[in-house]
Amino acid sequence: MTRVLIVEARFYPHISDALLEGAARALDVAGVESDRINVTGALEIPGAIRLAAEHYDGFIALGCVIRGETYHFELVANESGAGVTRVSLDHQVPIANAILTVENEAQALARVEDKARDAARVAVEMANLMDDLL
């Protein structure tokens, strides 16, 4: 049975909780076992997944980065995405990246439902594919 870990960055809890609810619901409908952990922000997601890489068939990275007035947005958005990709490739684990990178809260809320559902689907499909290939 496929087992997925959802890693939720809690910097914007109302957004990440909505992502979590949608992803968990989609995994439940698919009959996939899942666990959940929280980290502070998007930059902490890759490290948490790396530590759990051997224990799960797939991962879902949930969080939100909203553009502010400084360059910090680009750093967090780029480095969290690059970190997720690096962990996935280095440890050969599928990670569905559902870390929203948006201009404002309204954009994030408009994307929550679709992104969460899609992330759950991707995590399961890629875990199954990797199981078939490895």
Side-chain angles (χ1 to χ4, degrees):
M1 172 179 256
T2 301
R3 199 163 156 233
V4 172
L5 178 65
I6 301 171
V7 181
E8 177 189 3
R10 302 279 305 151
F11 197 80
Y12 295 103
H14 63 294
I15 296 169
S16 63
D17 284 348
L19 285 164
L20 174 64
E21 181 180 317
R25 184 174 47 249
L27 290 173
D28 288 344
V29 167
V32 174
E33 181 182 332
S34 66
D35 294 319
R36 295 141 184 131
I37 61 170
N38 296 327
V39 296
T40 306
L43 288 174
E44 290 73 40
I45 290 173
I49 293 173
R50 185 186 61 76
L51 292 172
E54 296 179 18
H55 306 289
Y56 292 88
D57 302 304
F59 296 86
I60 300 174
L62 300 179
C64 183
V65 184
I66 298 175
R67 184 179 300 281
E69 296 178 6
T70 68
Y71 185 69
H72 187 68
F73 169 84
E74 283 81 4
L75 292 174
V76 175
N78 292 337
E79 291 303 318
S80 64
V84 165
T85 300
R86 194 167 40 253
V87 171
S88 179
L89 295 173
D90 289 351
H91 296 276
Q92 296 182 328
V93 294
I95 305 170
N97 186 346
I99 303 171
L100 302 175
T101 52
V102 295
E103 297 292 324
N104 54 55
E105 185 177 329
Q107 287 181 354
L109 293 172
R111 288 161 176 74
V112 164
E113 186 175 336
D114 289 341
K115 191 69 168 177
R117 184 187 59 245
D118 292 347
R121 181 185 50 80
V122 166
V124 173
E125 286 181 13
M126 289 304 296
N128 290 335
L129 177 62
M130 290 187 81
D131 189 45
D132 290 344
L133 295 175
L134 296 177

